[in-house]
Amino acid sequence: MAWLEYISYQFTEHSLDVNNDLMEASTQRAPIEDLPQIFWEDGTPWDEANVWGLERATSSGLDIETVHRTMKHLCSYANYLEGANLDWRHFPVRKDERVLTKFKGYLIKERDDGIIADSTASACMSAAIMFYRFADLHDMVGAVGPMWVEKSVNIAINDRLGFKRALVRITTDLKIKNTKRVEGVRLEEGLLPLLAADMMQLLAYCADKCTLELHMMLSVGFFTGARVGTVVTLTVTSLYTARESPEWPGVFLLPVGPGTGVSTKLSVKGNILVPRALLNDLKIYATSPTRLKREVKADSTSKDVLFLTRSGRPYSVADVGALVRALRTEATAEGMHFMERFKFHDSRATFGTSLTSILLAHLNPAEALGIVRDALLHKDERTTFDYIRFRERSDAKEQVATDYHEAFTGFRHRDWNKLDA
């Protein structure tokens, strides 16, 4: 079967010498670490897909984790091609014989059989279409017949001033809709917050059973709302750039984003809120014997990274994902059923909803919206507004549940022998 391999890609420049021989020289450009590359079962690379992966990795505004996700989906497509013995450039006149049409049918069957989720089927198809757009643009496909039928869809939106706008989006007849029913207000990326009691139980469990690094990283997620990509790039130096907020005594503003050495999604620049107690714990950890032993093993470019593995390598997002999956299995087996679908990013949702709840108790929704937006480093205020709606709706549901319980309790304890005639 096809597989993904992650490489360190070094940029080079090529030129011809006086004898017209090709010369290669390295450049000053920083290498791309963990660049995903797809290889077929026989060990040969899928050159066209790998060029696409490189092109996406060098695009501005696109982080490497996004490239990892799309290449992972494209690798699934490569596995399908090998299993079905199909060529990825097979696009005859008959629509039902085209390779992408067959792949769509395969994904829908896998989804309907419960083997993959709706979102996975949709994402796999979207990744394949994105790749083919790139390949067709660079004349890599050479298809005789059309690959798909395109159509435009008008999407109505309201801007910040309340004016209606229409966006025209180009889609294809290959698109697989995510038909999973979603109830209520959903947070960014489908995140689900934990109850405060569940969060404290999880952190207590991690302090006792997990590595110190995972416990600290989860603490950062729960109490700052930082994404995992930000957490794994925190540096010792960055801890000492934090300054106490003039408006929030005991809360420190830690700069992140371009120019700070700490990564953020979409390269948003801002500050994450760090409670004094957590900041002190992180500083203590930074100079602890455990971490200093790891720093000794790290290369010169990684020594300042706060969280290092035993081998002295910075944690990657994939590393943290693997640790959380293992934690999820172990914690669920211990009876912590709220962990069955837990992801690291749910710590971000927990922070966001907790902060929103605190702010709504003292401020109006508009004021709370601005603070939560800045704390979570949202580019789009509409994403933040979902936190406001989620919290308000949750509060209403909690009150309904309380009222219902009280009514039911009174109903259950009623003396039926004293009913009025």
Side-chain angles (χ1 to χ4, degrees):
M1 59 184 295
W3 78 90
L4 268 178
E5 188 167 315
Y6 297 89
I7 67 171
S8 176
Y9 181 82
Q10 180 67 55
F11 291 92
T12 58
E13 292 181 346
H14 298 85
S15 60
L16 296 175
D17 63 13
V18 293
N19 297 319
N20 286 331
D21 292 327
L22 185 64
M23 296 179 61
E24 182 179 289
S26 60
T27 68
Q28 297 299 318
R29 191 171 180 180
I32 300 176
E33 301 297 339
D34 295 328
L35 176 68
Q37 300 282 272
I38 299 175
F39 291 84
W40 298 107
E41 187 174 18
D42 62 4
T44 57
W46 187 358
D47 292 329
E48 294 83 358
N50 294 337
V51 171
W52 178 60
L54 175 61
E55 191 271 342
R56 285 173 63 76
T58 54
S59 298
S60 58
L62 198 62
D63 61 61
I64 192 66
E65 296 306 323
T66 301
V67 181
H68 286 178
R69 285 193 293 272
T70 52
M71 289 294 282
K72 181 179 178 180
H73 291 313
L74 198 61
C75 187
S76 297
Y77 176 51
N79 280 317
Y80 164 76
L81 292 172
E82 290 196 321
N85 196 27
L86 292 170
D87 188 286
W88 69 277
R89 292 158 293 203
H90 186 61
F91 289 96
V93 175
R94 282 185 54 181
K95 180 178 178 180
D96 62 327
E97 291 295 324
R98 298 171 192 165
V99 63
L100 280 178
T101 303
K102 289 187 174 184
F103 183 54
K104 177 182 179 180
Y106 165 79
L107 289 175
I108 291 175
K109 185 177 186 304
E110 291 278 289
R111 180 198 66 188
D112 293 345
D113 290 345
I115 298 174
I116 61 176
D118 286 39
S119 57
T120 303
S122 178
C124 279
M125 197 72 247
S126 295
I129 293 171
M130 284 192 291
F131 162 67
Y132 275 95
R133 288 189 188 280
F134 169 82
D136 187 49
L137 178 65
H138 295 279
D139 296 323
M140 297 177 179
V141 185
V144 176
M147 293 186 290
W148 53 66
V149 175
E150 291 193 337
K151 56 183 178 180
S152 60
V153 178
N154 292 325
I155 303 174
I157 63 170
N158 292 321
D159 61 20
R160 293 184 180 183
L161 299 177
F163 293 105
K164 285 190 174 182
R165 298 286 187 269
L167 294 178
V168 179
R169 184 177 180 182
I170 303 298
T171 185
T172 75
D173 59 341
L174 294 174
K175 180 179 175 63
I176 299 177
K177 292 183 178 180
N178 190 345
T179 58
K180 182 177 180 179
R181 186 181 176 207
V182 177
E183 297 183 356
V185 179
R186 298 287 293 203
L187 301 178
E188 53 181 321
E189 303 172 32
L191 303 180
L192 292 172
L194 296 186
L195 297 175
D198 292 340
M199 178 190 73
M200 297 308 295
Q201 183 183 358
L202 172 59
L203 289 176
Y205 177 85
C206 286
D208 184 45
K209 303 289 187 181
C210 301
T211 64
L212 177 58
E213 287 70 29
L214 180 58
H215 177 255
M216 296 294 290
M217 287 190 281
L218 281 171
S219 297
V220 174
F222 278 121
F223 294 110
T224 74
R227 296 176 182 275
V228 64
T230 297
V231 175
V232 297
T233 55
L234 284 173
T235 62
V236 176
T237 300
S238 70
L239 301 180
Y240 293 91
T241 64
R243 295 292 179 265
E244 189 168 11
S245 169
E247 299 175 335
W248 297 47
V251 176
F252 285 72
L253 305 177
L254 194 157
V256 295
T260 67
V262 182
S263 299
T264 57
K265 185 176 182 180
L266 301 178
S267 297
V268 177
K269 190 169 185 177
N271 298 292
I272 57 174
L273 306 179
V274 187
R276 185 195 302 274
L278 176 59
L279 184 62
N280 289 340
D281 284 348
L282 292 174
K283 288 180 177 179
I284 292 171
Y285 170 74
T287 56
S288 66
T290 299
R291 188 197 162 276
L292 291 177
K293 289 177 183 178
R294 300 182 179 203
E295 182 181 320
V296 170
K297 301 176 184 178
D299 60 37
S300 58
T301 61
S302 304
K303 289 186 179 297
D304 194 37
V305 176
L306 180 61
F307 296 114
L308 299 168
T309 64
R310 287 195 179 101
S311 62
R313 179 177 57 83
Y315 281 90
S316 67
V317 173
D319 291 333
V320 178
L323 291 173
V324 170
R325 285 193 294 273
L327 169 63
R328 184 168 60 228
T329 301
E330 295 165 4
T332 302
E334 292 286 336
M336 299 164 64
H337 298 296
F338 62 86
M339 286 292 292
E340 290 178 354
R341 295 186 179 182
F342 177 78
K343 299 178 294 185
F344 186 96
H345 272 16
D346 290 339
S347 64
R348 174 177 171 81
T350 305
F351 168 81
T353 53
S354 298
L355 178 62
T356 302
S357 183
I358 294 170
L359 293 173
L360 287 177
H362 302 281
L363 303 173
N364 63 52
E367 292 173 315
L369 180 70
I371 296 174
V372 176
R373 180 197 62 214
D374 293 341
L376 293 176
L377 304 179
H378 286 153
K379 272 195 171 182
D380 192 336
E381 204 168 67
R382 287 175 297 181
T383 305
T384 315
F385 187 64
D386 286 339
Y387 279 88
I388 304 294
R389 295 171 58 212
F390 185 94
R391 188 66 266 171
E392 290 179 334
R393 186 166 184 147
S394 296
D395 289 343
K397 285 184 176 180
E398 288 173 9
Q399 187 59 50
V400 169
T402 300
D403 293 345
Y404 177 81
H405 174 73
E406 291 176 354
F408 179 77
T409 301
F411 180 79
R412 184 181 61 185
H413 293 155
R414 185 169 187 176
D415 187 348
W416 295 97
N417 294 319
K418 296 183 179 180
L419 289 177
D420 295 334

